[in-house]
Amino acid sequence: SAVGRGPEVPFRSEAYRISALARGKELRLTLSALDPGCAPPQDLVFRFGMSGSFRLCPAAELPRHAHLRFLTRESPPRALCFVDARRFGSWRLGDAWQQDRGPCVVSEYQAFRENVLRNLDDKAFDKPVCEALLNQKYFNGIGNYLRAEILYRLKIPPFEKARTVLEALKDQKQERRKKDPSMTLSKKVKLMQKNPDLLELCHTVPMEVITGEKQLFDPEHADNYSAFKNWLQCYLVPGMNSLRDRNGRTIWFHGEPGPMAPTGQKPRKKRAQPKADPEAQTPKVTSRALKRRPRAAATPPKSDEKEEGEEEKEADGPRKGRPRRRRTVTSAPALPGPGKGRARQRKRVTPAPAL
C-alpha cells in the first residue's frame, strides 16, 4: 500500500504458491512460482508487533491498514493482507531469522531449554524474572500476557531474580536422575505434567492457546475474544495486582511483587466493573436540573483502568480540548428614564388599611 513502511517485494508471477514457517515471534513466507522458469523463490520474514496479523478477504473489501496484499486470480478476486493498525510490525527480504533471537519455545523446546540453562551466567539473568522472560534471545515467543500466566501458575513473584529461579531447575533435574536413573520417557512426561517447571510452562502455556477449541486470535472472529478472556487466569483479571517493570511494560501478578520490585510504585488492583441492575429505577432528571448542570449530565465519569494491549508510554503534555476563554465583564446598558420606552411597568400596590 502507499502508506506501508516495508520494502517493495521484487517478485512477479502469474501463478505462485505461498508457504509459511513460524519461529518464535517471527514468520517466514516463501513465494514459489508454479512455473520454475518464471521467477526464483522469494522469502519474506515478518514481525507482527502488537497488532499485526494476516487476513484473507475479498479484494473489493480491503481492511484498513492492509500494508501488503497478495491477490488471487479467482472471480471475484480475494486478497491475503498483512494488516497492522499500529504499524509496529514489519517485513524484510530474505530467509534469515533475526540473529539475536534464540530457539522457539514452541517448535524447538529442547534447544530452547538447553540454551537457557547453559547461559545462566549471562547478565540478562541478573534482572527480575518478569523482565528476563521478555528477552527474545532466550525466550523467543514469550510476550506480555504469557509471562503473567506462567509466573501466576507457579506462584513465582515477578520481581524475583531470574538466575535464582532458573538455577533451581538444574538442581531439580539432578535430583530426579539420582532418585530414578532408569525412568522411562512416559514416566518423565507424566511427572512433567504433574509438576511443570518454568521452562516447561514456557512451552505448554502457548500450546494451550494454539491448540484451543477456538482460534482465540482470529481477527475475523472477534467474538472469540471472550473465550480468550475466560482462558486468562491472571493477565487483566480483576483483583490482580499490576506494576510497570523497568522497560515500561505492565506485569500482572498475585501476591507480593518480589525483592527487585521498582521503588516508587504501589501495586494497583484492577477493580471489577459492577453490572447494572436492569430492575433498578432510574431517577428522573428534570429539565431544570439539566439547565443547572449541563456538563455533569453530558460528561461520563472517567475510568482509572486502561485498555488491554496499551504498551506505549504516555508523555505528559497539555490538556486537549478548547482553551478556556477569559470572561469579559461588560457594563449593563443604561436604563431609559421614566416614561421613555418602557412597554411594561409594574404597578405598586399598597395594602388597604385594616378595618
Side-chain angles (χ1 to χ4, degrees):
S1 67
V3 296
R5 297 179 180 178
E8 292 289 338
V9 182
F11 181 81
R12 298 290 182 272
S13 178
E14 290 295 326
Y16 59 95
R17 177 182 294 107
I18 301 178
S19 57
L21 179 64
R23 184 176 185 266
K25 287 192 173 185
E26 293 183 298
L27 179 74
R28 183 169 65 203
L29 293 188
T30 301
L31 313 180
S32 305
L34 297 184
D35 183 3
C38 180
Q42 177 64 56
D43 293 303
L44 306 170
V45 177
F46 287 81
R47 294 176 61 185
F48 293 90
M50 289 177 60
S51 59
S53 64
F54 277 96
R55 192 177 308 178
L56 184 63
C57 61
E61 302 175 3
L62 292 177
R64 295 183 62 186
H65 308 288
H67 300 307
L68 190 61
R69 307 152 189 171
F70 303 93
L71 302 177
T72 67
R73 296 187 63 187
E74 57 189 337
S75 182
R78 292 186 295 172
L80 178 66
C81 305
F82 176 67
V83 183
D84 186 14
R86 299 196 179 192
R87 300 187 188 183
F88 293 162
S90 62
W91 67 86
R92 62 183 183 275
L93 304 178
D95 61 349
W97 305 110
Q98 198 171 6
Q99 293 182 357
D100 58 349
R101 291 179 179 266
C104 177
V105 297
V106 172
S107 60
E108 302 168 312
Y109 170 69
Q110 290 299 332
F112 148 71
R113 186 181 184 92
E114 293 173 2
N115 183 45
V116 172
L117 297 179
R118 185 175 59 248
N119 295 284
L120 288 181
D121 294 335
D122 194 321
K123 61 181 181 180
F125 298 102
D126 291 334
K127 299 180 179 181
V129 63
C130 66
E131 296 180 11
L133 283 173
L134 294 185
N135 189 335
Q136 300 301 296
K137 181 179 179 181
Y138 297 107
F139 298 89
N140 187 11
I142 299 299
N144 200 22
Y145 83 92
L146 286 173
R147 68 169 178 173
E149 296 298 314
I150 292 169
L151 295 176
Y152 172 77
R153 295 190 185 188
L154 294 173
K155 299 181 180 180
I156 296 176
F159 292 95
E160 184 68 57
K161 193 173 183 178
R163 185 178 293 108
T164 303
V165 175
L166 293 169
E167 280 183 344
L169 303 186
K170 285 186 174 180
D171 300 335
Q172 291 178 4
K173 188 175 182 180
Q174 292 176 358
E175 289 180 1
R176 289 180 182 179
R177 289 180 177 177
K178 290 180 181 179
K179 289 182 179 179
D180 192 356
S182 61
M183 183 179 294
T184 62
L185 179 61
S186 60
K187 290 183 179 180
K188 290 181 180 179
V189 173
K190 291 180 180 179
L191 183 62
M192 181 189 70
Q193 293 175 348
K194 291 182 179 180
N195 302 299
D197 59 35
L198 177 65
L199 298 181
E200 290 166 350
L201 284 185
C202 287
H203 171 74
T204 57
V205 173
M207 287 299 297
E208 290 180 11
V209 182
I210 296 172
T211 60
E213 295 181 1
K214 290 186 176 182
Q215 297 178 6
L216 302 181
F217 291 105
D218 188 351
E220 296 182 0
H221 299 85
D223 56 332
N224 289 355
Y225 181 65
S226 60
F228 173 66
K229 290 183 68 176
N230 293 332
W231 174 83
L232 293 173
Q233 300 180 27
C234 178
Y235 183 75
L236 290 177
V237 174
M240 296 295 168
N241 299 325
S242 65
L243 283 175
R244 285 189 179 272
D245 61 21
R246 290 170 178 81
N247 298 321
R249 305 289 298 274
T250 301
I251 174 68
W252 297 83
F253 61 95
H254 178 70
E256 296 296 327
M260 300 183 70
T263 58
Q265 293 188 55
K266 293 183 178 180
R268 298 180 303 167
K269 286 190 176 183
K270 184 175 181 180
R271 299 178 180 177
Q273 297 293 335
K275 296 182 179 180
D277 186 3
E279 299 181 357
Q281 296 182 358
T282 304
K284 295 182 179 181
V285 181
T286 61
S287 59
R288 188 174 182 180
L290 291 174
K291 289 180 180 179
R292 288 181 179 177
R293 302 181 64 185
R295 293 183 181 178
T299 305
K302 295 182 179 180
S303 174
D304 294 336
E305 296 300 328
K306 296 184 178 181
E307 295 294 331
E308 184 249 342
E310 184 184 21
E311 305 290 345
E312 296 77 39
K313 299 178 182 178
E314 297 179 356
D316 295 332
R319 295 179 61 186
K320 296 182 180 180
R322 297 181 180 177
R324 292 186 178 180
R325 298 180 179 177
R326 294 184 177 179
R327 296 183 179 178
T328 57
V329 181
T330 57
S331 58
L335 297 176
K340 295 182 180 180
R342 288 198 176 185
R344 295 180 181 177
Q345 291 185 356
R346 294 183 179 179
K347 296 182 179 181
R348 188 173 183 180
V349 180
T350 57
L355 297 177

